[in-house]
């Protein structure tokens, strides 16, 4: 097994329960970690034998572009798409962070993390 990580994927998105968040938007950061078998690609040096991180980034960006009220919801969609589209992925850990959240305090970010295993 091996791990592929995409750290700090930055997007400008429109998630949140407040009406203003859907209109104004804000900055987000996504961290993604997947587990997959990398043994074949270690030997073959062929992109077709691994999980293409360009595809992983595309999935994250596309799902972050769809408005959700909750960060949990968008994170779940990211996980579902990866499992649906990449059968070799066995585990996903995703963290979605809203930077400078409007919560009435000096908070750098609010982050939710979800971890799922292929069933």
């Amino acid at each position: 097994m091996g791990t592929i990580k995409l750290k700090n994927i930055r997007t400008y998105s429109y998630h949140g329960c407040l009406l203003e968040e859907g209109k104004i938007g804000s900055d987000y950061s996504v961290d993604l970690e997947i587990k997959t078998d990398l043994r074949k690609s270690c030997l073959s040096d062929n992109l077709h034998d691994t999980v293409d991180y360009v595809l992983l980034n595309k999935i994250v960006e596309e799902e972050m572009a769809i408005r959700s009220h909750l960060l949990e919801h968008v994170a779940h969609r990211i996980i579902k798409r990866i499992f649906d589209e990449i059968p070799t992925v066995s585990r996903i850990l995703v963290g979605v962070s809203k930077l400078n959240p409007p919560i009435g305090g000096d908070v750098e970010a609010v982050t939710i993390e979800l971890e799922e295993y292929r069933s």
Side-chain angles (χ1 to χ4, degrees), residues 29-31 70-76 78-79 93-98 109-115:
S29 172
V30 177
D31 292 315
L70 301 177
L71 299 180
E72 295 91 322
H73 188 256
V74 70
H76 174 73
I78 291 168
I79 289 171
L93 175 63
V94 63
V96 179
S97 300
K98 180 183 285 193
V110 171
T111 303
I112 66 94
E113 285 187 345
L114 293 180
E115 181 177 21

Side-chain angles (χ1 to χ4, degrees), residues 3-39:
T3 302
I4 297 174
K5 297 179 183 181
L6 280 74
K7 297 180 180 180
N8 199 23
I9 302 167
R10 293 173 299 279
T11 69
Y12 195 85
S13 303
Y14 299 86
H15 307 302
C17 294
L18 301 175
L19 185 61
E20 297 81 21
E21 292 174 300
K23 292 181 180 179
I24 299 168
S26 60
D27 292 307
Y28 291 81
S29 172
V30 177
D31 292 315
L32 179 66
E33 179 179 304
I34 63 117
K35 289 278 189 191
T36 190
D37 189 346
L38 297 177
R39 291 174 292 190

Side-chain angles (χ1 to χ4, degrees), residues 54-95:
V54 172
L55 175 57
L56 292 171
N57 186 66
K58 178 179 179 264
I59 290 170
V60 168
E61 288 182 344
E62 288 176 356
E63 292 304 322
M64 288 298 291
I66 301 168
R67 177 163 162 66
S68 288
H69 288 107
L70 301 177
L71 299 180
E72 295 91 322
H73 188 256
V74 70
H76 174 73
R77 287 199 327 265
I78 291 168
I79 289 171
K80 183 171 180 351
R81 272 222 30 217
I82 292 170
F83 278 147
D84 287 350
E85 294 183 25
I86 309 171
T88 58
V89 172
S90 60
R91 174 191 159 267
I92 302 169
L93 175 63
V94 63

